[in-house]
Amino acid sequence: MTTVAIAAGGGGDAVTAAMLADKMPALGVVAIMSYSWDRLMIDPAPGPRTRADFHGLIAHGGVFEVPSTAALRADGKSTLPRLAEHVAQPLLLMDIEAGVNGLARQIRHAAAAFDADEIVVIDTGGDILATGNEQGLRSPLADSVALAAAITSGLPTQVLVAGVGLDGELSQAELDGRLNALGAENAGDLIARDAEGFASIWSWHPSEANALLAVAAYGWRGSVETQRGVVIEVTDAATRIYRIAATTLAESSLAALLTRTSALEEIERLLRERRGYSDIDIERERLAHRRRPQMPTPDTLDIIDRYVADADARGVDALTVRRVIEMTHATEPTATEALRAKLAHCRSDNFKPPLYMVRPITQ
C-alpha cells in the first residue's frame, strides 16, 4: 500500500501525520497534504492560504510542494516551510479556492505524482467525527472539506483519528457515541519514541491539540488550560489511534453537505446556512476586535505568576504555551519569540514547551 496522507486540520495535523507515518510503516505514506492555515498570531490573513499567496512552491503536475525555502508573498508567515525541515515526506499545499472539487483534483494529482493508490485522512482531537450539530463544535470547515475531497477524489480512503478530545470541541460522551456508531477500530497507541523525533517542533509551532498528543505520548497526565481558557484532561485514552471507514463517516457529517462545492465562498455559504457562521467568519471577527499585540514588559512575569497561582487554585496542572502567549497579548511573531526567550531565561522550571507548568519542575 502506498498512500498520500491528508492533514485534515492543517499544519499541526501534518506533524501527527508524519508521526503516524513513522509508527505505521505499512501505511506507506509518500507525501503529506496540508492547509496553510495558521493562527492570527502568525498569519493575520483569515482563512487558508492559496497557491497564489506563495512564492517558491514546487509544481508536481497540478499539486504544489511547500519546500523550506518557500514563503508567503505578503505580510504574515506560514508554518509549512519551517515544518518541511522536520518531516521526511514532501509537504503538499491544500488549496481550497476551488472548493471540494478543486481539492479532489489536487488529491488525484498528488496520488499520480507520488505513485500512491490510497488516501489516509488524519485528524487530531476528533472534531472530524462531528455530525455538525454539536454545541461545542467550533472549527468544522477544514476537516469537513478534507474528508469530502478525499471521498470525491475516487481513491480508496481511510480515516485515522488520534488524541481524541484534545481539541476541546466535542464532549467525551459525544466522541464515545460517534466512535461506537462508526465502528471505530483500535489501530494502536502512541508511545514516547513515536513523538521523540518531532520534539523540537513544539518550541515554535502553535498547534495545541497535536502538541498535547505528543505530551500524552511522552507519558504526561493532568489537566491543561488551552486557548480561551478551555481546560482539557490529558488521560491514557489520548494516545489511542482509531481507524474509521471514511465513507460511513462522510455520510453522517458536514462533509456530505460540501461535496459538490466548487468555490470556498460556496463552502462558507453552506456552513452559514447550516450553522449560522463559517470558521473564517470567526477569524474575521477576531481580527477586527483583536487587542493590539504587546511586547513583553517588566510586568509580564508578574502577570503570568498571578495567573498561574489562580490556575493552581482551580486545580489546573499546566497551561499551554499558546495560552500564556494569548493571555499576555504577545500575539505576533516578534512578541511571541521575545516572550518565549524571557520565559526560558526567567522561568525555566515552568517553561517546558509545549506546556507551561503550574507547579515548577525542579531537577
Side-chain angles (χ1 to χ4, degrees), residues 2-295:
T2 306
T3 63
V4 170
I6 296 180
D13 282 357
V15 182
T16 295
M19 195 186 308
L20 295 185
D22 285 357
K23 181 177 181 62
M24 305 167 73
L27 287 174
V29 175
V30 291
I32 298 171
M33 299 187 72
S34 175
Y35 300 102
S36 178
W37 190 347
D38 287 297
R39 306 299 180 180
L40 296 178
M41 68 176 67
I42 294 173
D43 183 2
R49 292 292 193 158
T50 70
R51 177 185 53 152
D53 291 323
F54 283 87
H55 64 75
L57 300 181
I58 300 170
H60 291 283
V63 66
F64 291 82
E65 180 180 350
V66 185
S68 61
T69 52
L72 293 175
R73 297 180 185 277
D75 291 341
K77 293 184 178 181
S78 168
T79 55
L80 290 187
R82 191 171 181 181
L83 190 56
E85 300 175 4
H86 295 268
V87 302
Q89 297 82 5
L91 282 180
L92 309 178
L93 181 67
M94 292 165 59
D95 183 340
I96 58 171
E97 188 174 31
V100 165
N101 288 330
L103 181 56
R105 287 193 294 272
Q106 293 166 46
I107 292 171
R108 288 193 292 269
H109 287 309
F114 292 91
D115 295 322
D117 47 27
E118 292 194 20
I119 303 299
V120 57
V121 179
I122 293 172
D123 173 59
T124 303
D127 54 344
I128 198 171
L129 302 174
T131 63
N133 300 314
E134 295 84 356
Q135 184 176 0
L137 183 64
R138 296 190 306 270
S139 55
L141 191 154
D143 297 309
S144 300
V145 170
L147 178 58
I151 297 295
T152 303
S153 75
L155 291 159
T157 300
Q158 62 176 304
V159 175
L160 293 177
V161 179
V164 168
L166 294 182
D167 53 7
E169 297 205 19
L170 275 62
S171 70
Q172 193 59 53
E174 289 169 335
L175 289 165
D176 290 343
R178 287 293 282 162
L179 289 169
N180 289 333
L182 294 163
E185 300 176 6
N186 180 356
D189 289 272
L190 289 164
I191 58 176
R193 71 166 175 262
D194 300 322
E196 285 169 357
F198 305 92
S200 64
I201 294 172
W202 308 120
S203 67
W204 57 269
H205 201 287
S207 174
E208 287 184 313
N210 293 276
L212 291 178
L213 176 60
V215 164
Y218 296 143
W220 187 84
R221 301 290 181 265
S223 61
V224 56
E225 185 173 306
T226 65
Q227 60 171 318
R228 296 186 296 281
V230 177
V231 177
I232 292 172
E233 295 293 331
V234 179
T235 68
D236 290 347
T239 62
R240 184 69 42 82
I241 306 163
Y242 292 96
R243 181 180 285 108
I244 297 160
T247 300
T248 304
L249 174 58
E251 289 172 347
S252 60
S253 71
L254 288 173
L257 178 69
L258 307 177
T259 300
R260 300 182 183 277
T261 55
S262 296
L264 177 55
E265 292 81 1
E266 188 179 0
I267 292 169
E268 288 201 82
R269 176 179 60 77
L270 290 170
L271 287 176
R272 290 187 192 109
E273 291 173 356
R274 174 72 177 270
R275 294 183 50 80
Y277 63 90
S278 87
D279 305 19
I280 308 174
D281 289 334
I282 296 174
E283 291 194 344
R284 295 179 183 114
E285 181 73 11
R286 286 178 186 162
L287 187 63
H289 297 93
R290 184 172 67 162
R291 181 169 172 172
R292 187 183 185 124
Q294 297 177 359
M295 290 291 291

